[in-house]
Amino acid sequence: MHCIEQHACFGGSQQVWQHPSTTLGCTMRFGVYLPPQATQRPCPVLYWLSGLTCSEQNFITKSGAQRYAAEHGVILVAPDTSPRGDGVADAEGYDIGLGAGFYVNATRAPWSTHYRMHDYVVDELPALVDAHFPTSTARAISGHSMGGHGALVVALRNPGRYRSVSAFAPIVAPSLVPWGEKAFSHYLGDDRAAWRPWDACALIADAGERLPLLVDQGEADEFIDTQLKPELLRETCARAGHPLDLRLRPGHDHSYYFIASYIGEHIAYHADALHG
Amino acid sequence: MHCIEQHACFGGSQQVWQHPSTTLGCTMRFGVYLPPQATQRPCPVLYWLSGLTCSEQNFITKSGAQRYAAEHGVILVAPDTSPRGDGVADAEGYDIGLGAGFYVNATRAPWSTHYRMHDYVVDELPALVDAHFPTSTARAISGHSMGGHGALVVALRNPGRYRSVSAFAPIVAPSLVPWGEKAFSHYLGDDRAAWRPWDACALIADAGERLPLLVDQGEADEFIDTQLKPELLRETCARAGHPLDLRLRPGHDHSYYFIASYIGEHIAYHADALHG
């Protein structure tokens, strides 16, 4: 594992690291922000999962999250959104293949060779991060759109692993919307029963542990009615008795301008859970 | 003039506008951030001039400036860095032609046809901005690298036009460094006497008005010794009695991570002058 970018930022250091991934069978990159406090003591980690078409760069260059991470003494880790490289399967469309791993473990050829983003995010990446950086044991997770789906699913599938979870404009019910139906049929096959463990609303209906969910959703989001459907999350949580703080934000769209406007509130929320 | 992007952001609106420019003879774009206060009353304007290779996008997506502009009730305007379009002259290299207008009025062919960024930034753009947005009469200017040079030169050449000026990692003496020598010999010709009115250090030596300069410079900036030379600015200001607050920032490089870390301090500084 080696550092390919390093920038002073808000008293800490924004870095990008590259490493061979055994889980994914390719070379991967991730961003890590070390707040100033990390030179003094172990700090908790907030994992950020990005959306369709993103690499490790989008969040670290556009969200403005470092300012808040520096205030709260939280390490930020932002992985890429799919396996990468010449040997990695791809297909037509921004919503499948490279940049569109959907944070599942694919079971269907050709995807099953490399597309195991769930295990990468949950196991391999935290092990690497804990081995190389001054982390405490406390973790949280968040993400945007496809990465919001990822954050919710990863937290719900792994009870006790994360102190807190949040999402911006997540795909809450991928089994029921075009982005999810396309990705899941490629990665998991046509049997919809196999999709259930990768669908946040399905997981909430079945959940034992009830980790509260913080979700921000722009009301002017161009994907709200076709792909995101926050009302399904509200109904599912109400039915299951799952704690949900769903914040509908008038005028906001699906862009990083939306994320930048509220990432400070999310980091403060996670910091409370992580330092508590 | 028409709006091609509009995003809710920190209670205000980040927009991108496109218009035909009579000064430049081409179609131009600029970013404008309207803080929440702009719906209630006229607000002052901070103009931001970007560096080499940038468009109107870099500052608005990477600086995180909107948060501070919203706090202080300041409109941000970020133009492109050169004329654009099929008929506009270009040449090999990122440091000349498209994306590298250097905020001068070119006098040599083929550049003189379109490259009049000084007059665009000082006259045409503010007239458009004042006609279309709720601006007060108070203006300030800042920028980065080539745009830091631009901000200093524009303020020094136009006494009384700006309430305050600042720069991040500016090219303070373009006549004496490779970037400036290349650009000025193309745009202005080989007679170095013609370069003097476009060189911040030369203008300071000759200045009447003494508008204070706020400059941030990263000490780990990869261009500090070859292109930026902040010591020349310090010496020139000391000799001329020109007020300068030069802040050397340990560890910081030339990137937007540097700008993001201190843009809040610059906007607070400009807000004091603009609202004063």
Side-chain angles (χ1 to χ4, degrees):
Chain A
M1 186 158 109
H2 65 282
C3 184
I4 58 174
E5 280 189 48
Q6 184 163 4
H7 311 277
C9 187
F10 285 104
S13 178
Q14 177 63 55
Q15 304 174 2
V16 177
W17 289 73
Q18 182 165 300
H19 69 97
S21 166
T22 53
T23 306
L24 303 175
C26 65
T27 298
M28 291 294 286
R29 293 179 176 182
F30 64 90
V32 57
Y33 177 68
L34 301 173
Q37 297 87 341
T39 62
Q40 307 297 321
R41 59 176 186 272
C43 291
V45 184
L46 173 61
Y47 288 83
W48 172 268
L49 304 183
S50 292
L52 287 165
T53 77
C54 290
S55 72
E56 84 289 347
Q57 288 291 325
N58 302 64
F59 181 70
I60 68 177
T61 57
K62 294 186 172 182
S63 71
Q66 294 93 347
R67 169 173 175 171
Y68 311 101
E71 285 175 9
H72 293 285
V74 173
I75 294 172
L76 303 175
V77 173
D80 203 346
T81 57
S82 77
R84 299 278 180 182
D86 289 341
V88 175
D90 195 14
E92 285 291 307
Y94 71 95
D95 52 0
I96 189 77
L98 298 179
F102 269 85
Y103 305 101
V104 303
N105 296 330
T107 55
R108 307 288 290 216
W111 311 104
S112 50
T113 310
H114 295 284
Y115 284 76
R116 302 181 57 79
M117 286 297 291
H118 173 273
D119 286 1
Y120 174 71
V121 164
V122 171
D123 296 322
E124 186 178 10
L125 181 61
L128 277 170
V129 166
D130 290 344
H132 285 82
F133 304 103
T135 60
S136 72
T137 57
R139 293 177 192 147
I141 193 161
S142 185
H144 173 232
S145 194
M146 176 185 74
H149 142 75
L152 297 176
V153 164
V154 159
L156 290 162
R157 284 175 64 102
N158 297 279
R161 180 92 52 140
Y162 301 92
R163 295 268 185 96
S164 51
V165 58
S166 75
F168 290 79
I171 308 169
V172 300
S175 305
L176 304 178
V177 300
W179 276 341
E181 290 178 311
K182 180 175 176 181
F184 284 7
S185 61
H186 278 80
Y187 297 147
L188 306 170
D190 291 331
D191 177 6
R192 288 178 173 244
W195 299 5
R196 197 164 174 86
W198 303 106
D199 181 303
C201 279
L203 288 165
I204 289 163
D206 299 344
E209 197 207 43
R210 293 292 174 197
L211 186 66
L213 312 180
L214 169 62
V215 174
D216 267 81
Q217 172 64 57
E219 289 187 326
D221 188 316
E222 53 271 41
F223 301 110
I224 192 170
D225 293 330
T226 52
Q227 308 280 7
L228 306 176
K229 296 184 179 286
E231 69 282 4
L232 295 181
L233 183 65
R234 194 193 291 285
E235 291 159 13
T236 301
C237 286
R239 205 174 308 122
H242 200 110
L244 167 69
D245 185 0
L246 174 61
R247 302 169 176 182
L248 296 175
R249 302 294 191 176
H252 277 282
D253 60 23
H254 201 64
S255 72
Y256 262 89
Y257 295 109
F258 164 55
I259 298 170
S261 299
Y262 300 106
I263 191 69
E265 293 183 23
H266 281 236
I267 289 178
Y269 171 80
H270 289 294
D272 276 351
L274 289 166
H275 293 304
Chain B
M1 186 159 107
H2 65 283
C3 184
I4 60 173
E5 278 189 49
Q6 184 163 4
H7 311 276
C9 188
F10 285 104
S13 179
Q14 177 63 57
Q15 304 174 2
V16 177
W17 288 74
Q18 182 166 301
H19 68 98
S21 165
T22 53
T23 306
L24 302 175
C26 65
T27 299
M28 292 295 286
R29 293 179 177 182
F30 65 89
V32 57
Y33 177 68
L34 301 172
Q37 297 86 342
T39 61
Q40 307 298 321
R41 58 176 186 272
C43 291
V45 184
L46 172 60
Y47 287 84
W48 173 268
L49 305 183
S50 292
L52 287 166
T53 77
C54 289
S55 72
E56 84 289 347
Q57 288 291 324
N58 301 66
F59 181 71
I60 68 176
T61 58
K62 294 186 171 183
S63 71
Q66 294 92 349
R67 170 175 171 168
Y68 311 102
E71 284 174 13
H72 292 285
V74 172
I75 293 172
L76 303 174
V77 173
D80 203 346
T81 57
S82 77
R84 300 278 180 181
D86 290 341
V88 175
D90 195 15
E92 284 291 305
Y94 70 95
D95 51 1
I96 189 77
L98 298 180
F102 270 84
Y103 306 103
V104 303
N105 296 331
T107 55
R108 306 288 291 217
W111 311 104
S112 50
T113 311
H114 295 285
Y115 284 75
R116 301 182 56 79
M117 286 298 290
H118 173 273
D119 286 1
Y120 174 70
V121 164
V122 172
D123 295 321
E124 186 178 10
L125 182 61
L128 276 170
V129 166
D130 290 343
H132 285 83
F133 304 104
T135 60
S136 73
T137 57
R139 293 178 192 145
I141 193 161
S142 185
H144 173 233
S145 194
M146 175 183 76
H149 142 76
L152 297 176
V153 164
V154 159
L156 290 161
R157 283 176 64 102
N158 297 279
R161 180 94 50 140
Y162 301 92
R163 296 268 185 96
S164 52
V165 59
S166 75
F168 290 80
I171 307 169
V172 301
S175 304
L176 305 177
V177 301
W179 277 340
E181 290 177 311
K182 179 175 176 180
F184 285 7
S185 61
H186 278 79
Y187 297 148
L188 305 170
D190 291 330
D191 177 6
R192 286 177 175 246
W195 299 5
R196 196 165 175 84
W198 302 105
D199 181 302
C201 279
L203 288 165
I204 290 164
D206 300 343
E209 196 207 43
R210 294 291 175 198
L211 185 66
L213 312 181
L214 169 62
V215 173
D216 266 82
Q217 173 64 57
E219 290 187 325
D221 189 316
E222 54 271 41
F223 301 110
I224 190 170
D225 293 330
T226 52
Q227 308 281 6
L228 307 176
K229 295 183 180 288
E231 70 280 6
L232 295 180
L233 182 64
R234 193 192 292 284
E235 292 159 12
T236 302
C237 286
R239 203 174 309 124
H242 199 110
L244 168 68
D245 184 359
L246 174 59
R247 302 170 176 181
L248 297 175
R249 302 293 190 177
H252 277 282
D253 60 22
H254 201 63
S255 71
Y256 261 90
Y257 295 110
F258 163 56
I259 298 170
S261 298
Y262 300 107
I263 190 69
E265 293 182 23
H266 281 237
I267 289 177
Y269 171 81
H270 289 293
D272 276 353
L274 290 165
H275 292 304

